[in-house]
Amino acid sequence: MERVTGIGGVFLRARDGEALRAWYAEHLGVDMGEWGGKQFAWTPGGSTTWAIFDADAEHLGEPTQSSMVNYRVADLDAMLAQLRTAGVTVSDEVSDTDYGRFGWAHDIEGNKFELWQPPAGE
């Protein structure tokens, strides 16, 4: 049987694609190509998690939000401070786990996203 070997991309539906692409470029440093996306090169130790949550899972944000993207960052505290300084809606909650540190924020369309700082050495 053939099997999925990884996640090839994450795609978001936008009410205003141009504005949302500009927001991600300004606040998360995702420089979009002319085609409207960004390819990230894999690095040693990198991984992508794929999971399914129940419909009432609060982790994904509002019940109308059908997906959430997790972005890997080198310094979670610095990224959260940068977003707060820019006026971005950022959760006060930070979760420290064996898998790393996690924080959350919302883009200009209200989509909740997760920021992940992997454990040292990963």
Side-chain angles (χ1 to χ4, degrees):
M1 176 177 149
E2 291 296 314
R3 298 189 186 281
V4 170
T5 61
I7 301 297
V10 176
F11 308 98
L12 300 176
R13 184 182 320 273
R15 290 184 296 274
D16 183 341
E18 183 177 332
L20 192 59
R21 283 188 289 276
W23 188 93
Y24 275 91
E26 178 182 350
H27 296 290
L28 297 184
V30 180
D31 296 321
M32 303 289 179
E34 288 183 24
W35 55 278
K38 162 88 173 160
Q39 285 188 305
F40 293 94
W42 279 93
T43 58
S47 67
T48 301
T49 298
W50 185 82
I52 296 174
F53 289 82
D54 290 332
D56 60 354
E58 293 179 12
H59 187 75
L60 296 183
E62 295 298 319
T64 56
Q65 184 172 332
S66 63
S67 63
M68 182 177 68
V69 180
N70 168 293
Y71 298 99
R72 185 177 176 140
V73 297
D75 185 335
L76 179 64
D77 294 325
M79 176 60 86
L80 294 173
Q82 173 182 299
L83 293 173
R84 284 186 181 102
T85 298
V88 174
T89 302
V90 176
S91 171
D92 290 333
E93 177 186 2
V94 171
S95 178
D96 291 291
T97 74
D98 291 342
Y99 304 105
R101 302 182 71 230
F102 297 87
W104 299 269
H106 292 80
D107 67 24
I108 58 170
E109 292 201 357
N111 298 301
K112 181 180 179 183
F113 60 91
E114 185 171 67
L115 299 167
W116 170 51
Q117 178 182 328
E122 286 190 33

